[in-house]
Amino acid sequence: MRDVELKGVYPILATPFDENYEVDVESLERLIQFQLDAGVDGIAIFGNASEMYTLTEEERDLISQIVIKEVNGKVPIVFGTGATGLAQAIHYSEKAEEIGASALMVTPPYMVKPDAKRIYEYFAEIAKVVNIPIMMQDAPIASGVTIPVEIMVTLAQNCPNIKYVKVEAPPTTIKISEVLQKAEGKLKVFGGLNGMYLFEEIRRGAVGTMPACEFPDVCVKIFSLFDEGKQDEAKKLFYKHLPLIRIGTLAKYAMSVHKQILKDGGIISTANVRNPNVPIEESIKAEIDLITKELDLLALNGMKKTV
């Protein structure tokens, strides 16, 4: 899986917690199987939607072991290895490559906001110590750091294993077009922001998406329809599910929304989130119920196909 070209739907795996806010292994195993059953092209771990910023290193090791075991080589696994400093990012990146990551998704440092020189050096140094592909994550809403397109292109030109960028800087569609135009084939683009602009992004040339993990079958179907030349059907399916996608972007509540939908579908046992995320409240849960009922999303025996 290390030579594979990344393309298609790579959901960011949530981290299920039990009633004591510990990693829920059984729920995590079900969640992985849910993704595989939906036909995803790959799985990403330790992204923002994984609550990676709340995990200890021991928990990261446990989750890595479970994901690698359950996936069992069926699809590539992308590890998020960005950190608040270069030393930690190198540590996470080397470790991920050693245990079987297919590629890395790397955010820039976000505690002290780096200038252009520091952004370049950070990614270039990580690229030197690993051999697997690197995806730069341009997510200023979450990190407060924007990666300029010129730096992305220079990194791709100078570092052969920097091959992808996940564009989450609004307006994502405009930046995707700019990256593809200026990179001249040296960078491939994934979308993010929970798939908020998925249809528009793939129309502009994005090769993949990394949304949250509660609607993988919808994203897989949209990509399949688009690849088959059925753009109108892909568009209708996307706009049909846009309320579901949109509610998963609520500030402070996004992680608990993702988990509530998965809990309602019988995939994970609780919707618990760790501080600083905010637990679901009844008014938001009622709005989730309105959306899922309208889509006929949930079944008593667990999540069923939503398309």
Side-chain angles (χ1 to χ4, degrees):
M1 282 293 172
R2 296 206 172 194
D3 297 324
V4 69
E5 180 182 336
L6 305 185
K7 184 178 186 297
V9 180
Y10 280 65
I12 304 290
L13 212 61
T15 303
F17 299 124
D18 62 21
E19 296 293 348
N20 297 315
Y21 293 85
E22 301 294 331
V23 175
D24 183 343
V25 172
E26 291 185 1
S27 289
L28 179 58
E29 290 171 344
R30 287 194 300 271
L31 181 58
I32 296 164
Q33 192 58 53
F34 176 53
Q35 309 306 308
L36 296 175
D37 289 346
V40 299
D41 300 284
I43 288 174
I45 59 177
F46 307 135
N48 291 322
S50 308
E51 297 176 77
M52 54 82 177
Y53 41 82
T54 73
L55 299 174
T56 67
E57 183 149 6
E58 292 76 16
E59 289 170 332
R60 287 177 67 108
D61 291 344
L62 172 63
I63 292 165
S64 300
Q65 293 166 9
I66 293 167
V67 172
I68 290 169
K69 175 177 177 291
E70 292 297 313
V71 170
N72 194 28
K74 295 182 180 73
V75 297
I77 305 171
V78 177
F79 278 58
T81 59
T84 52
L86 177 58
Q88 303 100 305
I90 286 176
H91 169 70
Y92 288 140
S93 299
E94 290 181 321
K95 193 170 185 177
E97 180 176 33
E98 180 182 346
I99 64 176
S102 303
L104 307 177
M105 176 178 66
V106 183
T107 57
Y110 50 87
M111 183 64 68
V112 175
K113 310 307 180 194
D115 59 20
K117 178 175 170 55
R118 255 49 62 172
I119 291 174
Y120 179 89
E121 290 175 347
Y122 173 86
F123 283 105
E125 290 299 316
I126 295 169
K128 286 179 184 177
V129 301
V130 297
N131 297 306
I132 54 179
I134 291 173
M135 176 185 294
M136 299 173 284
Q137 184 178 13
D138 182 36
I141 294 176
S143 69
V145 179
T146 298
I147 308 174
V149 173
E150 292 73 17
I151 291 180
M152 295 179 186
V153 172
T154 304
L155 282 163
Q157 290 170 339
N158 296 342
C159 307
N161 56 335
I162 296 183
K163 297 182 176 182
Y164 302 90
V165 57
K166 182 182 180 186
V167 174
E168 300 186 275
T172 62
T173 51
I174 300 298
K175 194 160 189 178
I176 284 171
S177 293
E178 185 182 358
V179 170
L180 292 175
Q181 179 184 8
K182 292 183 177 179
E184 297 180 336
K186 290 190 176 296
L187 279 173
K188 294 182 178 178
V189 175
F190 269 63
L193 284 183
N194 203 40
M196 277 278 286
Y197 304 98
L198 171 58
F199 179 73
E200 293 85 359
E201 289 170 348
I202 57 179
R203 284 187 71 250
R204 285 178 179 255
V207 299
T209 187
M210 286 184 168
C213 64
E214 67 268 28
F215 52 97
D217 52 318
V218 176
C219 294
V220 168
K221 186 65 174 176
I222 290 168
F223 262 89
S224 296
L225 289 169
F226 194 91
D227 285 345
E228 293 166 7
K230 301 175 181 177
Q231 288 199 20
D232 284 344
E233 291 183 45
K235 178 183 67 176
K236 289 175 183 176
L237 188 63
F238 171 68
Y239 289 132
K240 174 184 176 183
H241 290 87
L242 198 50
L244 178 70
I245 296 168
R246 184 187 62 182
I247 200 167
T249 65
L250 287 176
K252 299 189 296 183
Y253 295 98
M255 306 312 154
S256 57
V257 168
H258 302 320
K259 288 183 170 181
Q260 186 64 50
I261 294 170
L262 290 164
K263 178 179 180 291
D264 289 345
I267 306 300
I268 64 176
S269 298
T270 80
N272 287 345
V273 293
R274 285 180 175 174
N275 185 309
N277 293 304
V278 181
I280 200 79
E281 63 172 57
E282 284 304 312
S283 63
I284 295 174
K285 187 178 184 314
E287 290 161 353
I288 292 172
D289 291 343
L290 286 174
I291 293 167
T292 55
K293 286 175 183 176
E294 180 69 22
L295 292 172
D296 190 25
L297 180 63
L298 304 179
L300 291 176
N301 62 343
M303 198 84 66
K304 70 178 181 179
K305 296 295 181 185
T306 62
V307 295

